[in-house]
């Protein structure tokens, strides 16, 4: 029964978004302890299960970066529940940063890429980064270096996802790229909320976009197929 749910994309999608909406509801309407510590881990845990069921048998080396990335995001999720505490916020930034590094390693490949193709995209992402940083800069204070590093790693993750184009199949590329773009939007809202000011529907948007981002990233990795290189 479990395998049938996790091996069927439609059933898994329904299960995942039910779990995500339950977690959002708990965040909005229930006390943090113990309810949020129960609901939040399941968002990542079901992605673990989905990935494992669909990619098992491929060897540990094939899975290592994904497992490590999801593990550190799961730990970061638990700590950021207490984001009002400066220590927990700092540790969560560290864990999320490590998770991003492992996803960057997963998205990286050895195939040469056209540098000119990357330039316009890099300019757009750099401009976006400057815009967000300019908004939250005055509120960062002690978190200036950790926050800038975390945001830099997010941009790096987006670039690595972008460079998968032409190396992996289109459906995998589109899911992963959509996932990392959605992730950086969620992170941007979280940064403005934490270091600048409250925004309308911020808690719902952060969690909805974050969960959707992780769903698309993992789904894209599961659907990943490398194009064969022709030497003719």
């Amino acid at each position: 029964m479990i395998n049938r749910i996790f091996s069927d994309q439609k059933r898994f999608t329904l299960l995942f978004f039910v779990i995500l909406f339950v977690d959002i509801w708990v965040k909005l309407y229930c006390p943090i302890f113990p309810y949020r510590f129960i609901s939040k881990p399941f968002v990542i845990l079901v992605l673990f299960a989905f990935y494992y069921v669909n990619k098992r048998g491929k060897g540990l080396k094939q899975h290592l970066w994904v497992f490590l990335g999801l593990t550190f995001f799961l730990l970061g999720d638990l700590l950021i529940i207490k984001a009002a505490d400066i220590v927990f916020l700092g540790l969560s930034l560290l864990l999320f940063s490590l998770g991003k590094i492992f996803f960057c390693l997963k998205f990286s490949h050895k195939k040469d890429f056209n540098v000119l193709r990357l330039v316009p995209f890099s300019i757009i992402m750099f401009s976006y980064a400057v815009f967000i940083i300019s908004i939250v800069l005055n509120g960062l204070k002690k978190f200036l270096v950790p926050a800038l590093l975390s945001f830099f790693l997010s941009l790096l993750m987006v670039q690595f996802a972008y460079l998968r184009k032409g190396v992996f199949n289109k459906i995998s590329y589109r899911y992963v790229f959509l996932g990392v773009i959605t992730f950086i939007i969620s992170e941007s809202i979280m940064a403005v909320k934490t270091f600048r000011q409250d925004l309308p529907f911020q808690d719902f948007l952060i969690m909805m976009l974050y969960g959707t981002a992780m769903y698309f990233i993992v789904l894209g990795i599961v659907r990943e197929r490398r194009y064969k290189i022709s030497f003719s």
Side-chain angles (χ1 to χ4, degrees), residues 89-90 92-94 96-97 100 129 132-133 136-137 139-155 184 187-188 190-192 194-195:
L89 178 60
S92 68
L93 282 174
L94 173 62
F96 283 131
S97 295
K100 294 171 193 176
I132 295 297
I133 291 169
V136 302
L137 185 61
L140 290 175
K141 298 178 181 178
K142 294 180 180 180
F143 285 95
L144 177 62
V145 174
L148 291 180
L149 176 61
S150 179
F151 205 69
F152 168 77
L153 289 172
S154 295
L155 297 178
I184 206 168
E187 187 175 54
S188 299
M190 180 68 181
V192 173
T194 304
F195 300 111

Side-chain angles (χ1 to χ4, degrees), residues 61-72:
K61 188 177 180 180
Q62 297 290 324
H63 304 316
L64 183 60
W65 302 137
V66 179
F67 285 154
L68 288 173
L70 288 175
T71 297
F72 281 102

Side-chain angles (χ1 to χ4, degrees), residues 77-166:
D77 279 346
L78 292 173
L79 290 182
I80 207 167
I81 293 174
K82 301 280 286 182
D85 187 309
I86 191 172
V87 175
F88 283 92
L89 178 60
L91 288 174
S92 68
L93 282 174
L94 173 62
L95 292 169
F96 283 131
S97 295
L98 291 171
K100 294 171 193 176
I101 290 172
F102 289 122
F103 274 128
C104 286
L105 291 171
K106 171 58 186 174
F107 298 154
S108 65
H109 56 80
K110 296 180 180 179
K111 185 177 179 180
D112 293 335
F113 59 89
N114 188 339
V115 176
L116 293 178
R117 179 169 70 89
L118 185 60
V119 171
F121 180 75
S122 297
I123 292 173
I124 293 171
M125 295 309 301
F126 178 77
S127 301
Y128 178 78
V130 171
F131 170 70
I132 295 297
I133 291 169
S134 67
I135 293 175
V136 302
L137 185 61
N138 291 335
L140 290 175
K141 298 178 181 178
K142 294 180 180 180
F143 285 95
L144 177 62
V145 174
L148 291 180
L149 176 61
S150 179
F151 205 69
F152 168 77
L153 289 172
S154 295
L155 297 178
L156 195 63
M157 189 168 67
V158 174
Q159 288 197 329
F160 274 117
Y162 178 71
L163 291 174
R164 294 173 76 252
K165 186 175 184 179

Side-chain angles (χ1 to χ4, degrees), residues 2-20:
I2 294 177
N3 278 357
R4 286 178 60 189
I5 293 174
F6 287 105
S7 61
D8 184 287
Q9 185 177 327
K10 291 182 180 179
R11 292 178 180 177
F12 170 71
T13 299
L14 177 60
L15 172 66
F16 177 81
F17 282 99
V18 167
I19 289 173
L20 179 59

Side-chain angles (χ1 to χ4, degrees), residues 171-229:
I171 190 69
S172 173
Y173 167 76
R174 289 170 181 170
Y175 278 139
V176 169
F177 188 68
L178 178 59
V180 294
I181 291 295
T182 306
F183 176 86
I184 206 168
I185 295 172
S186 171
E187 187 175 54
S188 299
I189 297 173
M190 180 68 181
V192 173
K193 170 196 170 183
T194 304
F195 300 111
R196 178 63 183 268
Q197 64 185 43
D198 288 338
L199 297 171
F201 310 109
Q202 58 189 14
D203 291 330
F204 173 82
L205 289 173
I206 290 167
M207 283 308 304
M208 186 64 198
L209 291 171
Y210 170 75
T212 302
M214 299 305 294
Y215 166 81
F216 279 128
I217 290 171
V218 173
L219 180 60
I221 295 172
V222 167
R223 300 287 295 274
E224 183 179 274
R225 301 290 184 276
R226 183 182 286 268
Y227 284 132
K228 293 182 180 180
I229 301 175

